Amino acid sequence: MKKLSTAIAAAAFAVAGSAGAMAEKWDMPMAYSGSNFHSATGAEFAKCVTTGTGGDIEIVTHPSGSLFKGNDIKRAVQTGQAPIGERLLSAHQNENVVFAFDSIPFLATSFDDAAKLWKAAKPTLEKILADQNLVLLYAVPWPPQGLYFKKEVNAVADMKGIKFRSYNNATARLAELTGMLPVQIEAAEISQAFATGVADSMISSGATGYDRKVWESLTHFYEVDGWLPRNSVMVNGDVWNGLDDAKKGVLRGCAELAEYAGTWRAIEYTQFTLNGLKAGGMTVGPASDTLQAELRAIGETMTKEWLESAGAEGKAIVDAYKAMK
Ligand code: PCA
């Protein structure tokens, strides 16, 4: 609370001190559809900063990958092509394995545990991002991940040979370990991919299936609660360093509000979107005991693989998380 009031005081100061300063427009690329709760949170954050700085910094969000596609957003912000942007960091595991901390199957499967894992990982992530000329502002979780198919699936054997849409390295690895064929596709393009048979399945939240109306092509959603990956909002380091303390305070204050509000939206949206999938005609329910057990065994393999490649940094995150449980 204290931190927040300092930020709000800083915001008031920025408004008072804004006369005569040059107004800047910050384009903020985002990968997911405008109707998605992450984009709605980003739009509120943008408004908060614009108001808080008295218009000195006007943030304009560009959802649906319209300015940069998801996969290009991080680089765009690092290089200053965009001053700020939102990205699913776990898709950049090839740069640093730690980025995938939030996509380890069955490590953190509820909102509460995901918040603890985030707390455990945040200092390390901030450091890694700072080395990449990025300042982390806030991160909001997706609802728990479940499996989408075009047929009934009761065991891993039923998944063999299915074309599977992946969104990061972990989801591609899951496909391999279940005998499926991974193809990485941006969420903005999945409706078309399912309609044309480029993919016939995926693991994602009810939120993404709902936003993309996947019932037009798919029939089953199995609640697996595999993990809750995050979208992170980052600012270019040089742009950040050029700001005065008052403006940094506004950005930090608005970011804190956005993380809180976005998480709240994610929680609220979970059941709402599962109901929406049902209303669209899909069969929605928990995965069978067999499938759950098989997926947990695969999760153990993936946890081991991640810990091996993430080394001491990864182990420290998992240890810190487990100490909070
Ligand atoms: N939706 C995003 C990532 C996780 C999620 O629930 C996607 O499918 O791309």
Side-chain angles (χ1 to χ4, degrees):
M1 212 46 222
K2 185 157 169 283
K3 226 167 91 202
L4 203 57
S5 43
T6 313
I8 289 163
F13 178 79
V15 173
S18 69
M22 274 289 280
E24 294 175 34
K25 180 172 163 242
W26 286 14
D27 288 311
M28 176 168 165
M30 307 183 84
Y32 294 92
S33 66
S35 60
N36 188 272
F37 72 94
H38 284 288
S39 305
T41 303
E44 290 296 329
F45 165 77
K47 236 191 262 168
C48 177
V49 172
T50 305
T51 308
T53 61
D56 279 355
I57 300 174
E58 186 202 353
I59 299 187
V60 180
T61 59
H62 299 270
S64 290
S66 57
L67 193 58
F68 289 97
K69 292 207 182 303
N71 207 31
D72 300 327
I73 290 175
K74 181 166 175 288
R75 175 131 301 271
V77 180
Q78 261 173 271
T79 57
Q81 287 171 281
I84 188 167
E86 180 190 66
R87 177 59 174 151
L88 183 93
L89 278 179
S90 60
H92 297 279
Q93 182 176 344
N94 53 337
E95 293 171 26
N96 194 312
V97 185
V98 171
F99 286 148
F101 79 97
D102 61 14
S103 300
I104 303 168
F106 306 111
L107 180 64
T109 61
S110 65
F111 280 101
D112 276 356
D113 281 352
K116 288 177 185 149
L117 181 58
W118 170 233
K119 208 170 162 205
K122 196 177 170 189
T124 311
L125 273 179
E126 282 176 329
K127 201 171 104 272
I128 295 168
L129 290 171
D131 288 345
Q132 295 187 333
N133 196 33
L134 291 168
V135 175
L136 178 68
L137 281 185
Y138 70 86
V140 169
W142 287 94
Q145 305 291 289
L147 284 164
Y148 286 87
F149 293 107
K150 231 177 166 162
K151 62 169 193 178
E152 191 178 322
V153 167
N154 295 311
V156 165
D158 300 338
M159 291 152 74
K160 203 170 168 49
I162 294 179
K163 284 178 269 176
F164 179 87
R165 174 260 168 174
S166 62
Y167 61 74
N168 63 12
N169 308 62
T171 49
R173 182 71 183 131
L174 180 77
E176 280 170 15
L177 291 168
T178 50
M180 296 192 285
L181 310 168
V183 44
Q184 185 138 344
I185 301 167
E186 301 276 343
E189 278 141 33
I190 59 175
S191 309
Q192 208 195 342
F194 291 137
T196 55
V198 171
D200 294 320
S201 68
M202 68 170 172
I203 190 158
S204 193
S205 55
T208 288
Y210 177 81
D211 284 333
R212 303 287 81 214
K213 299 188 172 54
V214 299
W215 53 82
E216 289 172 359
S217 305
L218 306 180
T219 54
H220 289 72
F221 178 77
Y222 293 101
E223 293 164 50
V224 174
D225 294 352
W227 60 90
L228 291 81
R230 277 172 189 265
N231 280 3
S232 299
V233 171
M234 298 160 283
V235 181
N236 173 277
D238 302 319
V239 169
W240 179 260
N241 291 335
L243 297 174
D244 59 31
D245 285 349
K247 291 204 183 71
K248 285 181 186 167
V250 174
L251 279 151
R252 288 282 184 210
C254 293
E256 200 176 335
L257 286 173
E259 186 164 308
Y260 179 84
T263 304
W264 185 84
R265 279 175 203 253
I267 294 167
E268 291 288 304
Y269 211 40
T270 302
Q271 194 55 49
F272 172 81
T273 56
L274 294 186
N275 293 346
L277 296 178
K278 267 186 223 163
M282 293 186 76
T283 305
V284 176
S288 73
D289 290 348
T290 309
L291 182 55
Q292 276 287 1
E294 290 175 325
L295 292 172
R296 284 204 174 250
I298 289 170
E300 273 168 36
T301 304
M302 289 178 62
T303 307
K304 208 170 125 242
E305 288 176 354
W306 184 80
L307 280 168
E308 270 163 21
S309 48
E313 263 181 345
K315 187 178 177 307
I317 291 171
V318 172
D319 288 348
Y321 162 64
K322 289 198 168 147
M324 283 181 225
K325 296 244 299 163

